[in-house]
Each structure stands twice: as C-alpha cells, then as structure tokens.
Amino acid sequence: GQNIDQPTEMTATEGAIVQINCTYQTSGFNGLFWYQQHAGEAPTFLSYNVLDGLEEKGRFSSFLSRSKGYSYLLLKELQMKDSASYLCAAMDSNYQLIWGAGTKLIIKP
Amino acid sequence: GAVVSQHPSWVICKSGTSVKIECRSLDFQATTMFWYRQFPKQSLMLMATSNEGSKATYEQGVEKDKFLINHASLTLSTLTVTSAHPEDSSFYICSAREGGQRETQYFGPGTRLLVL
C-alpha cells in the first residue's frame, strides 16, 4: 500500500533549527512535496524535490533520498510565525498526491 | 502567480439542506481539479478528481450521489453536498492543476462547512 509517515508533533525554540522527517512508500514516484498549513487555512506550497539532494530556499531547505524513501524539511532561524502544521506529500505514478497526517510544529519563545 | 478562489469561505446550514461550494482558477486554465476534505487535526483526504468536461473520479468510500462534482469549464468546478448532515461538517479544500503541469497543484483557501 501507499503510506506516508511523519511525526505528529514537534516543539522547538525561537531562533533555533528544526528538522521534520518524512518517510514514504508509494506506487511509483514523481516527487516529494512539503506544505505549510496554519490552523484554519489551506496548505501553502513550500518545496518540491524529485532528485536526490538538498534544495535550499531561504530559511527553509528540503532534502530527498529516493533510495531510502526519505525526506526532511529543515527550518532555520525559527520565528513564531513558523508555528504551523507541515504536511509531507509524495506524488505517485498517477501524479496523485499521497498525504501524510502532518507535523504540528510548536515554537516557544 | 496562480490563484485559486473558493466561495463561500464559511457556510452554516441546517441538516438536510444542500450546499454548493465553488472553486475557481482565476488566472490559468485548470484541466484538473481536486476536492479534499479535512477533519480537525487530520490530514487532507482526497475526495475526488475532476477533469474538465468529464465525470469526476471518486475515491473509495466517497458517495458519488452525496458529493456531486461538476467541472463544466476550465476555470470552475463545484462541489454540492446534498442533504448535508452534522457528520459532513468539515473543511473542504479544492486544488487546481494547469494542463501540462502535472507536478503542481494550487490550493484554494478552503470552505468551512458547519451543519447544525
């Protein structure tokens, strides 16, 4: 079957770095997405990886290892506004997104 | 950038009534639109995929006759929740994909439905 695993909740301190891990199993693979979702709002796109390696975009970076079925989202210089749920989603061979349950990130001052 | 709108953003209705939610792509042609449902503290659940001009493909467990989807144009899809019940109360989110851009989905802001 198809499955996405990510931690349910993480806590970090303002100004610090946090890494949110995601493992996936899909029928075929066409890329790994990370989305940010604030409470009561729709998800917003953060990153897309289809090749192995690290993609950096400002304070956020995303890593992919296709052989391991593993990705992480790295957030640096955490700000209070980064408190949100972070959704990992893998795209299968039919270009359908398979969603993880999301990681709720709590930032403490 | 690509913008997707949803209307209404909030709806409260009585049990047994039908509710229509619109999803529009404002500056691109959406050949495919997706409808998701999200219950509190849970992830997005894909309900159905609709391609312009053809019948929607529903996910397992989603009742076709209860959740009517119409994708009559390249910029508009509608989801009608027929005879809504309190258990249908949820956050409904649409996303749209432009033709030829299979990796990218643009999300609407979501519609929160509360059935009393």
Side-chain angles (χ1 to χ4, degrees):
Chain A
Q2 308 200 98
N3 191 50
I4 307 286
D5 282 318
Q6 54 181 127
T8 305
E9 188 174 296
M10 297 182 72
T11 303
T13 306
E14 190 177 15
I17 299 173
V18 72
Q19 177 175 311
I20 303 174
N21 296 324
C22 170
T23 57
Y24 64 88
Q25 288 179 304
T26 54
S27 301
F29 180 73
N30 278 300
L32 193 291
F33 295 77
W34 284 96
Y35 285 83
Q36 181 190 59
Q37 187 178 25
H38 284 101
E41 299 179 11
T44 55
F45 171 80
L46 289 178
S47 67
Y48 170 65
N49 295 63
V50 68
L51 300 176
D52 285 350
L54 185 68
E55 298 265 352
E56 296 186 70
K57 197 186 291 186
R59 293 189 300 113
F60 292 5
S61 303
S62 57
F63 171 83
L64 176 68
S65 168
R66 294 179 64 139
S67 61
K68 295 181 179 178
Y70 167 71
S71 172
Y72 67 72
L73 179 70
L74 191 71
L75 294 79
K76 302 176 185 176
E77 300 169 22
L78 287 170
Q79 302 175 8
M80 296 304 291
K81 67 178 182 179
D82 298 329
S83 292
S85 285
Y86 290 85
L87 307 176
C88 171
M91 184 166 274
D92 68 11
S93 57
N94 293 320
Y95 293 91
Q96 296 273 49
L97 283 175
I98 312 301
W99 293 88
T103 299
K104 183 179 180 181
L105 178 62
I106 300 168
I107 310 293
K108 295 185 175 179
Chain B
V3 179
V4 175
S5 70
Q6 272 183 251
H7 178 80
S9 54
W10 260 102
V11 59
I12 302 173
C13 68
K14 292 182 180 179
S15 185
T17 60
S18 294
V19 175
K20 180 187 280 190
I21 302 170
E22 292 186 349
C23 177
R24 292 181 186 272
S25 57
L26 299 185
D27 50 4
F28 66 98
Q29 293 187 325
T31 52
T32 306
M33 284 186 170
F34 303 88
W35 286 97
Y36 293 90
R37 181 167 53 181
Q38 186 177 35
F39 292 105
K41 299 185 179 180
Q42 294 186 23
S43 189
L44 298 171
M45 290 172 47
L46 180 64
M47 299 175 68
T49 302
S50 73
N51 292 294
E52 184 266 337
S54 61
K55 288 184 180 180
T57 302
Y58 289 79
E59 296 298 302
Q60 196 170 13
V62 178
E63 298 174 56
K64 300 179 185 181
D65 295 332
K66 181 166 182 67
F67 298 99
L68 302 178
I69 291 172
N70 184 283
H71 191 169
S73 79
L74 284 171
T75 59
L76 174 65
S77 176
T78 59
L79 167 68
T80 301
V81 183
T82 61
S83 186
H85 291 285
E87 58 265 29
D88 298 323
S89 299
S90 187
F91 191 41
Y92 291 86
I93 308 172
C94 75
S95 70
R97 189 163 72 190
E98 194 171 8
Q101 306 265 348
R102 286 187 291 187
E103 294 81 20
T104 307
Q105 289 185 30
Y106 303 100
F107 283 87
T111 297
R112 194 162 297 281
L113 170 64
L114 177 61
V115 185
L116 302 176

